[in-house]
Every structure is written in C-alpha cells, then in structure tokens.
Amino acid sequence: MNNNEQILALEVLQKAAWLEDYPVTLANSLVREGRLVRLNAGEWAQAEGDNRNGLSVVIDGLLHTYCTAPGDRDVMIWFAEPGSVLGHATRHGGGPRLVTAVCAEPSILLEISESELDKVAKHSPEIWRAIAAFTYEDLRNALRMTAEIMSLRPRERIAARLLAIAGDDQADKNPVLRISQELLGELMGVTRKTVNIHLSAFERDGLIRTGYGRIELCDLSGLKMIANG
Amino acid sequence: MNNNEQILALEVLQKAAWLEDYPVTLANSLVREGRLVRLNAGEWAQAEGDNRNGLSVVIDGLLHTYCTAPGDRDVMIWFAEPGSVLGHATRHGGGPRLVTAVCAEPSILLEISESELDKVAKHSPEIWRAIAAFTYEDLRNALRMTAEIMSLRPRERIAARLLAIAGDDQADKNPVLRISQELLGELMGVTRKTVNIHLSAFERDGLIRTGYGRIELCDLSGLKMIANG
DNA sequence: GATAAACTGTAACGTTAGTTACAATTCACG
DNA sequence: CGTGAATTGTAACTAACGTTACAGTTTATC
C-alpha cells in the first residue's frame, strides 16, 4: 500500500516539468528523504504564515490555494494538482509561507523538510536550481494574472481565465471545466453575477456551453479574440 | 573609473538581501564573471520574451518593469532599484523573460550570462539557492499584488500601494514618494482621475500631503486602516 | 424516490470608475 | 526670465459592476 504510493510519488516527480531535465536520481532522493502524508478534503496542507520550512509536492488529489490581502480578505489564487509544489525553501527560514492550501479532494502530499532538502542537496546540489525553476514558473503565472486583472475588463478577464484554467490540454476534444460560477468569480475577483452575465453572453455566441458545475469551451480561438480585446 | 564601478557593484551585491546570508566570495565571483553595462534613460535592459538567459543585477539607477497582458497591453509592475535582479536562470532556456525593463534613469547593470553562472556555480553551487531565494521574494510580491487587486477597491488599493511603495523605510521622518499620479494609476490599474480623487480625499483627511510629482505620507497608521477596509 | 444542498437564472437599484476634454499649475531648460 | 513640457485639478456623461434578494434547476444523499 505504502509502496504503491511511493511508486506513484516517483512517477509524479519524474513527470513534473520542474524535474524533467534532471537525472532520475534526484526524484529518487526526494522520495526517499520525504514523507508521504494523506489528507482529507477540507484539511489544510499548510497555512499562510506558517514558519515551517520545506516543500510539499502534490502527489495525488487537488488543492486550492489562497492568499490573504490586507484586511483579512482571502482570495483564491489557483489550484495545486499532482506535480505542483507548495511551500518554499529559502535559507535561514526566509519568512512565512505565501499561501494557504486547502484540500478540495482527498490528497497525498510528499513533504520534504528543510533538513531533508539539505541531505538531498549534499549529493545533488542542482536541486536548488530545480527549485528556482518552479518558483520562477509560479512567478510567471502570478505576474500574468496580475497583468490580466490590471488591464482587462471583467468580460475579457473571464475569457482569459477560462483559457488559463483549461491549460494546454490541446487535445482533440473541447476542454471541459468542472467548476462552479461561484468559484470562477472568486478566482478572478468578480461576483458570481458578473461571471454569469458574461458566460451567458459567451454561450449565446456559441463560444461555450454551460451546464451544472460544468463549462465546455467550444471555440478556443473565439475566446482568445475576446481575451485580446 | 571602471574600477570604481566594480567596487560599487561589489558593495551593492554584499548589501543585497538575497546574498547577505552567503559568503562574500560569492559576490566576488559574480562581479568577476559578469559584465558591467551602462544604459541611458529610456533604454531597454531587456524585453519580455527575450530568450537570452542569465541575470542582470541593478547596480545603480532605476528601472521600471512592465508585463504584457493579452491584447498587447502593457502594465507597469514595479521598480527595479540597486540590488534588484532581472531575468531568470532556469535550466535549458526555460522560456522567455517575464518582464520588460526600461531605464527611468541612467543605470548600471551587472549582466551575468547562463554560462558565466555555471562557472560561478562550479565553485559555489549555493548560488542556485540564492537565486531561488530572490525569485521566491519576487513571487511573494507578485502574489500580494494580485491579492490586493482582486479584493480591494481602488480607494483601499491606493492606500495599500502607497504604503508598499514607501517600503520599510521606517525612518523617523514621513516617507516622501516622488511619483506622478499618472504613474501611480498605471501601477495599480486605475485611471489618473481615480487616483486623483482618492488622493484628494486622503489629503483632506490629513493622511497625506501632495505636491507636484510628490506625495508625503503623514499618517501611516491611518493609511493602513484604509487599506484594511 | 424524497429531501436537502448546491448551483444557476434573473431583477431593481445604487455606486463607482472609466471616458473625454479642457483649464490651471508647476517645473525644466534654455 | 520665458517658453514648453509635464503634472495636477475639474467636470459631465456613460457604462459597468456590486449588492441584495429570491426563484428555479440540477445533483447528491439517504
């Protein structure tokens, strides 16, 4: 059982974008040093402000990440899926964690503490380079999001976010998002009503098809045109 | 002359937050391997999408960083001052740069290419850890900005941004920002008019004093209260 | 299959920021 | 000093989103 999970963890690490350019031994070391943790839906993987150091790699499940704005307002930032990394790894503490991560489904995390990272780094110092890489990727997404919110109006922003959530699944079929309009609004800082209005308009124009907790993107290029103004 | 600049570069690196926990030899190596570049106001240090790798450390001057949203809309993200780092350093290219950096003043940059970084890393592999650290710091700022934009209304956002720009200069005197209302608006995604309305209100309430291209923060705790709703 | 929970559709109203345009002020540079 | 550029002040109008509330629909759970 535990063994199965270890094998799964190894597979996830090997396929993760931030590790794919590094030797397999690195993924092996991480699984060997880290601890697998099972969490139920609703449980917190980590809280913003935690001072525990180290990383948590999502092996299975789905988490939602939140960030706190001034005035104790939480805003949902993004999802963490298998392969995503939570937490940080700066030297000497380096300050509190950035986000709160809550399990949306039962999930499995691989937790690697600061000292365990040090052990891995002893034989594979390039681990820090890999960590810099995924942090940079997170930075890219955060900046993109910031630029979108600042320069796009809700209608365009909704189109842009739909495309971002769909990701690069350039499969042959139309991408289908399983997400409520309420959550969509939370993700982009508008109310459900606003989301609803624009989704209805998109559906009228044949760009998407909506259902109960479900959005099918039918015309990706049309959505891109809207996102681009 | 060049020697003076090298000494300056060394000082800046030694004082930079992301290097302060590392031995001085690391800063020395970076200065030795890198090249000092002088740029005039208006010149681009790097463009978003550039595929050159490597880092640029701001040694002197001031740059504005911009990010592009869908539809070729540029939004100003932040400033880069001495000690800031531009660029990225992921393995195997790792994709285009995130931001466009434009000199607001004549500036001096220390450019360190990917291969030069590799040379430094040969003797000091911990350089990657330092790079991960400042990338994480940038991520922190970007997420904070995202959370602010999503959850705060312009009035509160303006207060929050004023405090962020003032930074941690918790000197005895009131912080003074030298920035136009136009630029402020660009920084937080609202129009100059909106900035103007709220700044006027703040001034009426004695929180700030405005002048030509100048804002003095008189009541930091009052501004914090507004930022917190 | 029945009941509750979650999600979506819709509406009236008020607020607020964007748009556009122009005038007044301050500064920089010669 | 004096001219032009940059910055700030102001205004009327429009459009859009937020707020609040409730009804209708789909799914989940037992």
Side-chain angles (χ1 to χ4, degrees):
Chain A
M1 228 41 184
N2 203 319
N3 215 2
N4 277 344
E5 288 178 353
Q6 285 206 335
I7 291 171
L8 177 63
L10 198 54
E11 280 175 8
V12 169
L13 284 181
Q14 284 174 3
K15 281 190 298 187
W18 59 282
L19 271 180
E20 68 181 358
D21 287 334
Y22 295 85
V24 184
T25 53
L26 193 46
N28 278 322
S29 306
L30 289 170
V31 173
R32 191 170 53 241
E33 297 292 343
R35 295 171 314 289
L36 284 168
V37 177
R38 274 166 297 277
L39 295 172
N40 291 319
E43 284 193 287
W44 288 22
Q46 59 176 11
E48 186 180 359
D50 267 10
N51 256 319
R52 291 178 309 160
N53 261 314
L55 304 177
S56 297
V57 186
V58 180
I59 300 301
D60 194 30
L62 175 67
L63 295 91
H64 292 178
T65 57
Y66 297 83
C67 188
T68 302
D72 290 328
R73 275 166 287 229
D74 271 2
V75 299
M76 181 171 168
I77 296 289
W78 202 234
F79 311 94
E81 296 168 310
S84 303
V85 186
L86 304 164
H88 67 161
T90 58
R91 194 166 191 179
H92 297 159
R97 287 170 186 270
L98 295 182
V99 298
T100 300
V102 182
C103 294
E105 306 171 356
S107 304
I108 303 175
L109 302 184
L110 176 68
E111 299 206 329
I112 308 154
S113 72
E114 186 89 1
S115 57
E116 287 159 352
L117 269 180
D118 279 333
K119 278 192 222 161
V120 173
K122 198 167 278 177
H123 297 100
S124 310
E126 68 267 28
I127 179 66
W128 293 113
R129 190 167 188 177
I131 289 172
F134 74 69
T135 307
Y136 190 77
E137 197 55 36
D138 287 345
L139 176 60
R140 175 194 307 280
N141 289 329
L143 280 180
R144 179 186 181 76
M145 203 155 153
T146 305
E148 274 181 20
I149 301 179
M150 279 180 53
S151 72
L152 302 184
R153 307 165 94 192
R155 176 183 169 79
E156 293 133 24
R157 220 154 80 209
I158 291 170
R161 280 291 100 182
L162 286 179
L163 290 168
I165 294 172
D168 303 327
D169 307 342
Q170 296 295 4
D172 31 359
K173 287 187 301 183
N174 290 339
V176 173
L177 314 183
R178 304 222 147 266
I179 185 173
S180 76
Q181 299 182 1
E182 184 82 46
L183 191 54
L184 264 184
E186 210 180 327
L187 265 172
M188 33 207 183
V190 298
T191 60
R192 178 177 70 80
K193 180 190 181 319
T194 304
V195 171
N196 185 270
I197 287 174
H198 293 295
L199 287 187
S200 302
F202 291 165
E203 184 160 28
R204 218 179 20 249
D205 298 345
L207 300 171
I208 64 173
R209 290 157 57 97
T210 63
Y212 186 85
R214 178 179 179 287
I215 299 171
E216 179 183 353
L217 309 188
C218 303
D219 182 355
L220 293 179
S221 55
L223 286 172
K224 270 176 205 154
M225 275 194 45
I226 290 182
N228 290 333
Chain B
M1 226 42 185
N2 202 318
N3 215 1
N4 277 344
E5 288 177 354
Q6 285 207 334
I7 292 171
L8 178 62
L10 198 55
E11 281 175 6
V12 168
L13 284 180
Q14 284 174 3
K15 279 191 299 188
W18 59 283
L19 272 179
E20 68 182 358
D21 286 335
Y22 295 84
V24 184
T25 53
L26 193 47
N28 278 321
S29 306
L30 289 170
V31 173
R32 192 172 51 241
E33 297 292 342
R35 296 169 315 288
L36 285 167
V37 176
R38 274 167 298 278
L39 295 173
N40 291 320
E43 283 192 288
W44 289 22
Q46 61 175 11
E48 186 180 359
D50 266 10
N51 256 318
R52 291 176 309 159
N53 262 315
L55 304 177
S56 297
V57 186
V58 181
I59 300 300
D60 195 30
L62 175 68
L63 295 92
H64 291 179
T65 57
Y66 297 83
C67 188
T68 303
D72 291 328
R73 276 166 286 230
D74 272 3
V75 300
M76 181 172 171
I77 295 289
W78 202 234
F79 310 95
E81 296 167 311
S84 303
V85 185
L86 304 165
H88 67 159
T90 57
R91 195 165 190 182
H92 297 161
R97 289 171 184 272
L98 294 182
V99 298
T100 299
V102 181
C103 294
E105 307 171 356
S107 305
I108 303 175
L109 301 184
L110 177 67
E111 298 206 330
I112 308 155
S113 72
E114 186 91 359
S115 55
E116 288 159 352
L117 270 180
D118 279 332
K119 280 192 222 161
V120 173
K122 200 168 276 179
H123 297 100
S124 310
E126 68 268 28
I127 181 66
W128 294 115
R129 190 166 188 176
I131 289 172
F134 75 68
T135 307
Y136 191 78
E137 197 56 35
D138 288 345
L139 177 59
R140 177 195 306 281
N141 289 329
L143 281 179
R144 179 187 179 75
M145 203 156 152
T146 305
E148 274 182 19
I149 301 179
M150 281 182 50
S151 73
L152 302 185
R153 307 163 92 191
R155 177 183 170 79
E156 293 134 22
R157 220 153 78 209
I158 291 170
R161 281 289 99 181
L162 286 178
L163 291 168
I165 295 172
D168 304 327
D169 307 340
Q170 296 294 6
D172 31 359
K173 286 188 300 183
N174 290 340
V176 173
L177 313 183
R178 303 222 148 268
I179 185 173
S180 76
Q181 298 182 1
E182 184 83 45
L183 192 54
L184 264 184
E186 210 179 329
L187 266 172
M188 33 208 183
V190 297
T191 59
R192 178 178 70 79
K193 179 191 180 319
T194 304
V195 172
N196 186 272
I197 287 175
H198 293 295
L199 287 186
S200 302
F202 291 166
E203 184 159 28
R204 216 179 23 248
D205 299 343
L207 300 172
I208 64 174
R209 289 157 58 95
T210 63
Y212 187 87
R214 178 180 178 285
I215 299 170
E216 179 182 353
L217 309 188
C218 303
D219 182 354
L220 293 180
S221 54
L223 285 172
K224 272 177 204 153
M225 274 193 46
I226 289 181
N228 289 334

